[in-house]
Amino acid sequence: MLKSVLLAAFMFLAVLFGMQLASEGIGKMKGYDDANFKGAFSFEEGEEGELQASLLGNEVTSHDLEQKKAELEGMKTYNFFSSVGKKLADTVTAITDRTIQFITDLIN
């Protein structure tokens, strides 16, 4: 699971990096800078010294991230595979406990 998450994160960063390189290549190919044409991501220092980030032209703020986190925590979703996995784990645990109990009863 950890490897899958790390691989997905790496692939996401690779796509962003590729988009940035393509953006720079288009700018070089045109021969001039177009104010309407922006890169995939950028970091700028704000008026009060805070760092502002934009991803695909949309500003990213910590407030947005906190709002999304609260939204995700508030969601009550049903995951079929998670519930099946929990039931399977409980069943295997119960069978193992009973088997061990049976073997210890035979020994005593």
Side-chain angles (χ1 to χ4, degrees):
M1 182 77 169
L2 180 64
K3 286 181 183 179
S4 298
V5 170
L6 289 175
L7 183 61
F10 175 73
M11 290 172 64
F12 178 71
L13 292 175
V15 167
L16 286 178
F17 182 69
M19 290 173 69
Q20 185 68 29
L21 286 177
S23 172
E24 291 172 4
I26 289 173
K28 288 179 184 177
M29 188 174 70
K30 285 170 118 180
Y32 62 92
D33 288 329
D34 187 0
N36 295 328
F37 190 72
K38 298 182 181 178
F41 57 91
S42 63
F43 295 100
E44 298 174 358
E45 190 170 334
E47 296 173 1
E48 298 176 5
E50 72 276 359
L51 189 63
Q52 297 176 343
S54 67
L55 178 65
L56 300 175
N58 299 324
E59 285 191 29
V60 178
T61 62
S62 62
H63 178 70
D64 292 339
L65 296 176
E66 290 172 4
Q67 181 182 6
K68 288 180 183 179
K69 180 180 177 186
E71 222 174 89
L72 288 173
E73 288 174 353
M75 285 184 176
K76 300 287 183 188
T77 59
Y78 174 74
N79 188 342
F80 173 74
F81 294 109
S82 177
S83 65
V84 169
K86 286 179 184 177
K87 288 179 184 177
L88 180 64
D90 291 340
T91 304
V92 169
T93 302
I95 291 171
T96 306
D97 287 343
R98 288 184 183 168
T99 304
I100 291 173
Q101 185 66 35
F102 178 73
I103 292 171
T104 55
D105 288 342
L106 286 176
I107 293 173
N108 290 331

